[in-house]
Amino acid sequence: EVQLVESGGVVVQPGGSLRLSCAASGFTFDDYTMHWVRQAPGKGLEWVSLISWDSDTTYYGDSVKGRFTISRDNSKNSLYLQMNSLRTEDTALYYCAKDMATSGYFDYWGQGTLVTVSS
Amino acid sequence: AIQMTQSPSSLSASVGDRVTITCRASQGIRNDLGWYQQKPGKPPKLLIYGSSNLQSGVPSRFSGSGSDTDFTLTISSLQPEDFATYFCLQDYNYPPTFGPGTKVDIK
C-alpha cells in the first residue's frame, strides 16, 4: 500500500525558514517524480514544486521560486521542501504527492502538514 | 501559466441525479486534463486522467470527456459518498494548474 507521510509543519514568523519532510513507502520511491502541492485554508490547490527521480530536474511555481528548494534522498525514501523567506501567503496545508509516471498527474497524496506563517 | 476555470462553482443535487461539471482552459491543452475529488479534511483523490481515462478503483459512474479547451466531468447517478468538491488539473505544461473547484452538496 502506498503511503506518504508529511511532517515538519509548524507556526513560523514571516521571514523565517522551515523544512518539510515526506516519508514514502509501499512503492519503489526512486522510480518516480515527486511533487509538493499546497492548499491555503478553505481555498483551492496550488502546485508548488517537483523533483525527478534522480534529482536532475526540479521545477517551481512562480510564487515560491527562489525561496523554496525541493530535494530527495532515495536511500531514505524521503522527499523534502526547504522553505525560506516565508510570507503570510505561504500559510497552507502542504501535501506530498507521487507522480503517475506515465503522465504528470498525482495519483497518491499524503494527509498534509500545516504551515502557518504568522507574527 | 494556463488559467483553468470551472462551472458551476457549486451545485445542489439529489442522490440519483446526473451531475455535469465543466472545466475550461485559457489555451488548448490537448487532452491533458485530470479530475480530482476532495472531501473535507482529506487529500484530493484522482478520478480521471487524460481527459477520459478512469483511474483504477474509481466507480464507473464517473466519466470525463473533452479536448483542447473544454472538458466535462459527469457523474451518471450521484451517490451519497459523491458529495465533495471537484477540481480539474491541466498537465499540458508547467506549472500544472488547478481549477478553483466545484462543490457538490445535498439538495
Side-chain angles (χ1 to χ4, degrees):
Chain A
E1 178 194 4
V2 171
Q3 284 201 315
L4 298 168
V5 180
E6 303 92 339
S7 60
V10 292
V11 179
V12 60
Q13 290 190 337
S17 297
L18 200 55
R19 189 197 199 202
L20 305 183
S21 299
C22 172
S25 61
F27 65 103
T28 306
F29 182 70
D30 55 11
D31 276 351
Y32 293 92
T33 292
M34 296 294 294
H35 302 261
W36 288 99
V37 179
R38 70 184 181 183
Q39 187 169 33
K43 302 296 184 181
L45 297 158
E46 180 186 14
W47 174 81
V48 173
S49 182
L50 77 79
I51 186 166
S52 61
W53 67 274
D54 58 0
S55 302
D56 269 3
T57 300
T58 58
Y59 285 111
Y60 299 91
D62 286 345
S63 61
V64 307
K65 203 174 295 182
R67 301 188 298 122
F68 290 10
T69 302
I70 192 171
S71 62
R72 65 191 294 163
D73 185 337
N74 287 343
S75 70
K76 295 181 178 178
N77 286 353
S78 292
L79 175 72
Y80 306 102
L81 186 67
Q82 178 66 42
M83 309 165 68
N84 297 332
S85 303
L86 282 160
R87 305 167 180 167
T88 56
E89 56 265 35
D90 295 319
T91 294
L93 189 63
Y94 284 75
Y95 293 105
C96 160
K98 172 186 165 292
D99 196 277
M100 274 188 77
T102 55
S103 60
Y105 305 100
F106 322 125
D107 58 354
Y108 289 94
W109 301 59
Q111 293 298 312
T113 188
L114 182 62
V115 173
T116 303
V117 184
S118 173
S119 54
Chain B
I2 296 174
Q3 305 300 315
M4 307 300 293
T5 57
Q6 285 183 238
S7 60
S9 56
S10 65
L11 66 89
S12 296
S14 301
V15 172
D17 283 353
R18 182 182 182 88
V19 169
T20 299
I21 298 168
T22 297
C23 179
R24 176 165 289 175
S26 60
Q27 67 180 72
I29 59 170
R30 300 182 307 196
N31 66 342
D32 295 331
L33 191 285
W35 289 98
Y36 289 83
Q37 175 194 67
Q38 187 177 32
K39 297 181 180 179
K42 297 293 186 183
K45 174 186 175 182
L46 179 64
L47 301 175
I48 301 283
Y49 63 94
S51 178
S52 60
N53 299 291
L54 197 66
Q55 172 67 344
S56 176
V58 174
S60 59
R61 63 181 179 272
F62 290 93
S63 64
S65 65
S67 66
D68 195 27
T69 61
D70 294 304
F71 302 86
T72 298
L73 173 70
T74 300
I75 309 171
S76 60
S77 177
L78 198 67
Q79 298 302 300
E81 60 269 30
D82 300 337
F83 292 97
T85 299
Y86 294 85
F87 296 92
C88 60
L89 166 72
Q90 70 80 16
D91 180 50
Y92 178 73
N93 67 12
Y94 278 90
T97 44
F98 292 88
T102 296
K103 185 175 181 181
V104 177
D105 61 23
I106 302 172
K107 183 184 286 185

